[in-house]
Amino acid sequence: MTRNIGPIDKAVRIVLGLVLLSLIFVLQGELRWVGLIGVVPLLTALVGNCPLYSVLGLSTCSRAGRT
């Protein structure tokens, strides 16, 4: 897999993922499970590859940082 997520994009995805996951503890009822969407940005940040970026041919990673 080719990396297509740069360091700033990675940091934003981690913060966004953690914020979304925190909704599980903040919201009440069935709506709280919406927070599980936060797993997606966290996983893509940890792996370093976004499937949607691959399909669209996008990358926030510098040329030197791609593997």
Side-chain angles (χ1 to χ4, degrees):
M1 253 190 297
T2 304
R3 290 182 181 250
N4 60 8
I5 296 178
I8 295 173
D9 192 4
K10 185 175 189 173
V12 169
R13 286 170 185 264
I14 290 172
V15 170
L16 179 65
L18 292 175
V19 167
L20 286 170
L21 282 175
S22 71
L23 293 177
I24 293 172
F25 304 105
V26 175
L27 296 177
Q28 298 292 324
E30 295 298 318
L31 188 59
R32 66 190 256 177
W33 299 112
V34 171
L36 287 176
I37 294 171
V39 171
V40 174
L42 275 177
L43 285 177
T44 57
L46 294 175
V47 172
N49 185 317
C50 177
L52 183 60
Y53 279 10
S54 297
V55 169
L56 297 175
L58 299 174
S59 177
T60 58
C61 200
S62 66
R63 287 246 179 235
R66 294 183 190 175
T67 56

